[in-house]
Amino acid sequence: MTKGIDPAATPSGSGCVECDAAGGWWVHLRRCAQCGHVGCCDSSPAQHATAHASASGHPVVQSFEPGEDWFWDYEQGKGFTGPTLAGPTHRPLDQPVPGPAGRVPRDWVGQLH
Ligand SMILES: [Zn+2]
Ligand SMILES: [Zn+2]
């Protein structure tokens, strides 16, 4: 197994785990390549994907956005092309960006990182 990647780990869900628990919102989603945790990107208010990597020691994420299959290695600080992970490999197509529906504030642009 490539360090930080378990192709058999399935995604935790269709939205950021911590944002869904707290009623938050996100811009884009990233999926932990090791355990399947889905978190929000660094442009999002809470940056849960990076927080998960720091807290868990899981160093690799893959984009969870439709049409994107890039990986990012936090330890190396660079992107790369990796194996195909267990599906689904992206959020539902009808889920808006930013999302999720009904939780994005009117002034969301001003809250981006
Ligand atoms: Zn989040
Ligand atoms: Zn993880």
Side-chain angles (χ1 to χ4, degrees):
M1 166 178 134
T2 305
K3 185 172 187 288
I5 299 179
D6 179 359
T10 54
S12 57
S14 59
C16 172
V17 173
E18 288 84 1
C19 284
D20 277 341
W25 61 279
W26 55 77
V27 182
H28 292 133
L29 295 170
R30 308 291 178 239
R31 171 234 190 112
C32 175
Q34 188 163 331
C35 73
H37 171 276
V38 174
C40 50
C41 72
D42 285 349
S43 295
S44 307
Q47 306 179 321
H48 287 125
T50 296
H52 171 77
S54 299
S56 67
H58 299 165
V60 178
V61 291
Q62 185 183 38
S63 177
F64 202 51
E65 294 298 315
E68 297 184 355
D69 61 2
W70 52 262
F71 288 75
W72 179 260
D73 186 322
Y74 285 102
E75 292 179 348
Q76 307 285 327
K78 64 181 183 185
F80 63 99
T81 305
T84 301
L85 303 181
T89 56
H90 58 76
R91 62 167 170 79
L93 292 171
D94 61 359
Q95 194 167 290
V97 176
R103 292 216 305 258
V104 181
R106 281 172 182 263
D107 65 340
W108 67 272
V109 172
Q111 297 186 35
L112 298 182
H113 279 274

